[in-house]
């Protein structure tokens, strides 16, 4: 990716990359509890058939995966393993939190052994509420994630800047930067930078259905 | 170590010999293999630590607790109607079956009984959740051996059953339909006819699965004679359900105990198998799915008219006392020991879940087996991880 190292990424090329990325997502299934069955129904059942969306379930390892679907109750005993697998995934990576337990603790909100919200451990892009959510809800979450990937500015992301959409970057280049848009520095040269890429600031997460995450 | 089978005894001696480095023919080094806690093909988290000698397991230990959610403590701070919401999620594949023993225990303490119509509908939903549970097992079984087609078939036909449960209860997965003293709602219009059609489809699914999977030569060679559990060992470890019946013990709580469910209205059979190996356990479950379909088909014609709810107070207070009720759940014997002090919620609930006892035999049964057989034996024992850890 020499183009990116030079700090410039033409917009048509970004779009091409983004479309390719969004329709060849390898999902790592982190099935923990009840939601894993609904995830299995979405991924393996002929009725829901996630492959028509360009998502390929069952990679052999998290190191091949593009996004992880955490479905089910995360307990305090399990949380270090979730964190470790997230760290093994290569960038660019995304996370979907499926079900109330992974979102916020769900029916075990006052339990002594349940982690109340996987977002305390890993950054979440899409929340799918429900206990458990129907397979259709998970499919909608995946479609929303694909829309986010399609609009993402890869150059800004690989330089470690906060999440930026292509439209916001273009508006900044034209000098129409409004107060709400965050673009970051675009002159930053990553090839000469000795520092590792900082953990990028995650954007506002998407919630399927638009309601609260419970 | 009482009453081992010959094959296991031989392999046990062999492994001991290897451990003492007496095996001069092929010097092998001990190795510890960690399986789990998570695997993409499972729904739940169980970790198994196995000590290997070459390809042979000489010692294996399950590590439970990765799914522990503290049910027994949480029930102490919930009211009686709220507890059913929680305990749906213990064995998440047969949710309705989890509610029934708890509700029966509460009814026993309150000295009330559900009306006959509610009892028959309860039995039907109980068996439907068993079918939903075991059909996924039959599909998942193939995946453990690298056959992917059965899982598609299982998910296809399981959807019909889930639609029925959703139609009757409103919940696709966790119905939360059982109430103390009856049921929440009556059956919707047209549900009975639809159920009859679906049950015929499910019997077809069993035939298809038997031809496709159970008749397969690779399946048989990986299952027959592997993981043999004799009857007395099975009893000692407290196995229940199909795992016990596959060892030749004729014991089924649906038939053997007098409980407020309408199994006596139907004509059905308790299947047993003398072998006690992995194949027998899977075969028993296949036959039980057929029997469940038959039970549902017979009970659908015998639903009596009448109310679905007895008179219960608006705010349920269970009188002081203790009760233990267990039923034959899809995984085995599941029981609730409920102690009440006359308050709104239970004082203490002890949950006897089938999978915990079924899993406890893994150190015994895995001793002396080969590494690829670990997966098939664990699959055939069939425990649900939420049911182990609670």
């Amino acid at each position: 990716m020499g183009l990116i190292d030079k700090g410039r990424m033409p917009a048509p090329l970004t779009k091409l990359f983004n479309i390719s990325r969004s329709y060849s997502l390898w999902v790592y299934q982190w099935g923990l509890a009840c939601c894993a069955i609904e995830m299995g129904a979405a991924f393996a059942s002929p009725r829901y058939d996630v492959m028509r969306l360009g998502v390929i379930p069952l990679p052999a390892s998290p190191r091949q995966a593009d996004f992880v679907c955490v479905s089910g109750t995360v307990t305090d005993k399990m949380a270090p393993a979730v964190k470790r697998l997230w760290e093994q995934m290569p960038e660019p990576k995304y996370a979907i939190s499926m079900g109330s337990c992974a979102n916020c603790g769900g029916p075990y909100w006052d339990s002594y052994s349940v982690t109340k919200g996987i977002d305390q451990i890993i950054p979440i892009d899409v929340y799918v509420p429900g206990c458990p959510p129907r397979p259709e809800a998970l499919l909608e979450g995946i479609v929303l994630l694909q829309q986010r990937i399609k609009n993402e500015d890869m150059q800004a992301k690989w330089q470690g800047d906060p999440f930026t959409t292509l439209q916001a970057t273009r508006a900044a280049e034209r000098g129409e930067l409004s107060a709400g848009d965050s673009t970051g520095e675009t002159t930053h040269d990553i090839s000469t930078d000795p520092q590792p890429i900082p953990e990028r600031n995650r954007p506002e997460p998407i919630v399927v259905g638009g309601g609260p995450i419970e | 170590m009482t009453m081992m089978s010959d094959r296991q005894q031989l392999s046990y001696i062999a492994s001991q010999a290897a451990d003492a480095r007496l095996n001069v023919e092929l010097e092998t080094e001990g190795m510890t293999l960690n399986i789990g806690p998570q695997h993409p093909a499972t729904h739940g988290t169980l970790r198994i630590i196995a000590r290997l000698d070459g390809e042979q397991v000489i010692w294996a230990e399950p590590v439970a607790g990765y799914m522990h959610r503290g049910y027994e403590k949480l029930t102490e701070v919930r009211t009686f109607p709220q507890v059913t919401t929680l305990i749906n999620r213990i064995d998440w594949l047969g949710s309705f079956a989890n509610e029934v023993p708890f509700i029966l225990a509460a009814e026993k303490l309150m000295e009330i009984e559900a009306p006959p119509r509610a009892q028959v509908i309860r039995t039907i939903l109980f068996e439907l959740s068993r079918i939903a549970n075991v059909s996924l097992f039959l599909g998942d079984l193939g995946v453990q051996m690298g056959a992917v087609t059965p899982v598609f078939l299982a998910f296809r036909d399981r959807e019909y059953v889930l639609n029925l449960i959703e139609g009757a209860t409103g919940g696709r997965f966790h119905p939360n339909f059982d109430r103390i003293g009856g049921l929440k709602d009556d059956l919707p219009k047209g549900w009975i006819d639809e159920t009859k059609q679906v049950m015929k489809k499910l019997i077809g699914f069993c035939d298809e699965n038997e031809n496709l999977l159970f008749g397969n030569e690779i399946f048989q060679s990986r299952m027959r004679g592997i993981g043999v559990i004799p009857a007395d060992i099975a009893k000692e470890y407290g196995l229940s359900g199909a795992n016990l019946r596959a060892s030749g013990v004729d014991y089924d709580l649906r038939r053997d105990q007098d409980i407020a469910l309408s199994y006596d209205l139907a004509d059905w059979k308790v299947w047993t198998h003398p072998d006690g190996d992995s194949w027998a356990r899977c075969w028993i479950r296949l036959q039980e799915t057929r029997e469940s379909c038959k039970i549902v088909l017979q009970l659908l014609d015998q639903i009596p008219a009448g109310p679905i709810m007895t008179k219960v107070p608006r705010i349920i207070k269970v009188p002081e006392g203790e009760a233990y009720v267990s039923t034959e759940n899809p995984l085995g014997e599941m029981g609730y020991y409920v102690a009440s002090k006359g308050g709104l919620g239970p004082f203490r609930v002890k949950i006897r879940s089938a999978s915990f006892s079924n899993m406890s035999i893994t150190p015994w049964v895995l001793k002396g087996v080969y590494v690829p057989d670990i997966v098939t034996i664990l699959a055939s024992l069939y425990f649900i991880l939420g049911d182990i850890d609670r």
Side-chain angles (χ1 to χ4, degrees):
Chain A
M1 290 293 113
L3 282 168
I4 291 168
D5 290 350
K6 283 174 199 157
R8 294 297 298 171
M9 179 84 162
L13 204 55
T14 310
K15 275 199 168 170
L16 184 66
F17 279 160
N18 283 351
I19 288 171
S20 318
R21 283 193 309 133
S22 61
Y23 290 122
S24 61
L25 287 171
W26 285 57
V27 50
Y28 191 70
Q29 310 176 29
W30 192 264
L32 294 168
C34 334
C35 296
I37 308 294
E38 293 294 62
M39 185 176 69
F43 287 169
S45 132
R47 181 176 292 193
Y48 300 106
D49 187 20
V50 81
M51 286 192 201
R52 70 200 152 94
L53 300 175
V55 176
I56 305 150
L58 281 174
S61 138
R63 297 171 199 213
Q64 297 172 347
D66 292 315
F67 80 93
V68 61
C69 183
V70 183
S71 53
T73 318
V74 187
T75 56
D76 289 348
K77 193 170 180 179
M78 199 66 207
V82 178
K83 173 90 176 156
R84 188 169 164 193
L85 253 86
W86 171 254
E87 283 164 355
Q88 286 184 13
M89 285 170 61
E91 282 276 0
K93 56 188 175 184
Y94 306 90
I96 290 183
S97 161
M98 182 186 182
S100 301
C101 298
N103 289 351
C104 64
Y108 317 106
W109 60 274
D110 52 351
S111 170
Y112 54 83
S113 59
V114 173
T115 308
K116 279 91 186 168
I118 186 69
D119 46 7
Q120 297 174 24
I121 304 164
I122 63 175
I124 296 293
D125 289 281
V126 180
Y127 291 95
V128 186
C131 190
R134 294 182 66 92
E136 291 96 329
L138 179 62
L139 296 189
E140 192 189 340
I142 288 171
V143 170
L144 288 171
L145 180 66
Q146 284 175 336
Q147 285 174 4
R148 159 162 290 190
I149 293 173
K150 265 188 253 175
N151 285 328
E152 197 170 16
D153 187 354
M154 278 303 287
Q155 183 188 336
K157 177 174 179 172
W158 288 17
Q159 289 174 352
D161 291 334
F163 175 81
T164 325
T165 59
L166 278 172
Q167 291 83 352
T169 313
R170 217 167 296 152
E173 281 169 1
R174 289 201 300 267
E176 299 165 2
L177 179 63
S178 64
D181 296 334
S182 60
T183 53
E185 289 287 319
T186 48
T187 53
H188 179 71
D189 189 2
I190 197 167
S191 57
T192 57
D193 195 343
Q195 299 297 320
I197 300 172
E199 182 79 20
R200 69 195 174 94
N201 299 334
R202 291 278 160 169
E204 277 292 302
I206 304 169
V207 180
V208 172
I213 59 171
E214 287 88 20
Chain B
M1 206 48 64
T2 52
M3 286 297 289
M4 285 164 110
S5 66
D6 287 345
R7 187 181 160 279
Q8 270 180 329
Q9 202 151 17
L10 280 176
S11 55
Y12 180 69
I13 294 166
S15 61
Q16 289 290 318
D19 213 28
R21 302 211 174 275
L22 292 172
N23 192 346
V24 287
E25 198 177 308
L26 182 66
E27 186 82 22
T28 51
E29 207 170 303
M31 184 188 128
T32 306
L33 177 69
N34 178 49
I35 304 167
Q38 209 272 346
H39 183 264
T42 65
H43 43 88
T45 44
L46 176 72
R47 182 174 165 212
I48 288 186
I49 302 166
R51 182 97 184 130
L52 305 181
D53 176 45
E55 274 282 288
Q56 224 169 17
V57 179
I58 52 174
W59 174 87
E61 190 73 38
V63 183
Y66 286 94
M67 274 311 294
H68 177 65
R69 291 157 289 177
Y71 273 106
E72 294 185 6
K73 195 72 191 166
L74 286 181
T75 49
E76 293 173 15
V77 291
R78 302 282 200 271
T79 63
F80 272 94
Q82 283 173 345
V83 170
T84 53
T85 318
L86 271 184
I87 60 180
N88 261 319
R89 290 156 176 80
I90 292 179
D91 161 17
W92 45 68
L93 285 173
S95 306
F96 188 82
N98 294 335
E99 301 172 20
V100 174
F102 178 79
I103 293 289
L104 290 177
E107 283 177 356
K108 201 173 170 184
L109 283 173
M110 290 176 75
E111 293 172 348
I112 54 170
E113 200 166 74
R117 185 179 173 84
Q119 286 185 16
V120 175
I121 296 175
R122 256 182 207 174
T123 316
I124 290 171
L125 287 171
F126 198 105
E127 289 306 307
L128 282 181
S129 61
R130 182 190 307 276
I131 294 165
N133 190 325
V134 180
S135 62
L136 190 72
F137 161 78
L138 293 172
D140 201 36
L141 200 55
V143 175
Q144 316 287 351
M145 268 154 280
V148 189
T149 317
V151 81
F152 291 120
L153 297 180
F155 270 115
R156 182 195 67 192
D157 288 335
R158 196 170 169 272
E159 285 291 326
Y160 299 127
V161 185
L162 290 185
N163 283 357
L164 286 179
I165 295 176
E166 189 181 8
T169 67
R172 180 183 143 88
F173 227 71
H174 298 310
N176 195 17
F177 192 59
D178 225 345
R179 298 284 187 271
I180 293 172
L183 292 169
K184 178 175 166 280
D185 275 323
D186 213 332
L187 292 178
K189 198 181 164 190
W191 192 82
I192 292 175
D193 294 334
E194 206 188 322
T195 312
K196 282 181 185 166
Q197 289 173 9
V198 170
M199 285 305 110
K200 279 167 196 152
K201 271 183 198 162
L202 259 293
I203 291 175
F205 162 72
C206 290
D207 296 339
E208 199 176 12
N209 211 310
E210 187 157 24
N211 293 332
L212 184 72
L213 196 61
F214 286 71
N216 189 312
E217 202 176 321
I218 300 169
F219 181 82
Q220 295 214 1
S221 61
R222 289 204 57 184
M223 287 298 203
R224 288 263 192 193
I226 306 290
V228 179
I229 303 174
D232 50 346
I233 296 286
K235 281 185 204 164
E236 276 173 25
Y237 277 93
L239 295 199
S240 54
N243 294 333
L244 185 63
R245 288 192 286 276
S247 300
V249 184
D250 193 7
Y251 175 72
D252 193 322
L253 281 172
R254 288 178 285 177
R255 180 198 60 191
D256 294 344
Q257 77 174 351
D258 185 24
I259 201 164
L261 291 171
S262 330
Y263 285 108
D264 46 348
L265 292 180
D267 177 31
W268 56 287
K269 188 186 170 188
V270 177
W271 289 87
T272 56
H273 200 286
D275 283 1
D277 55 1
S278 299
W279 196 84
R281 289 191 281 274
C282 303
W283 184 83
I284 289 281
R285 289 203 175 87
L286 180 75
Q287 300 303 329
E288 281 184 0
T289 317
R290 280 211 185 101
E291 290 299 321
S292 297
C293 295
K294 284 179 197 162
I295 293 173
V296 172
L297 278 175
Q298 290 176 44
L299 288 181
L300 283 172
D301 296 329
Q302 301 183 39
I303 302 177
I308 50 157
M309 195 81 184
T310 50
K311 282 203 165 181
V312 285
R314 188 167 277 268
I315 294 169
I316 289 172
K317 279 190 179 174
V318 175
E320 199 171 329
E322 295 164 2
Y324 177 76
V325 173
S326 61
T327 52
E328 184 75 24
N329 267 43
L331 299 164
E333 180 185 348
M334 182 173 207
Y336 291 88
Y337 177 83
V338 182
S340 173
K341 290 220 163 177
L344 290 172
F347 175 71
R348 173 92 170 87
V349 176
K350 165 78 182 81
I351 305 167
R352 191 264 187 223
S353 64
S355 296
F356 188 72
S357 307
N358 289 352
M359 183 207 60
S360 69
I361 203 169
T362 46
W364 190 88
V365 76
L366 289 184
K367 194 168 274 182
V369 304
Y370 290 94
V371 173
D373 292 339
I374 296 177
V375 181
T376 54
I377 289 171
L378 290 182
S380 74
L381 279 172
Y382 191 37
F383 30 72
I384 285 178
L385 290 313
D387 204 30
I388 294 173
D389 297 332
R390 302 188 292 276

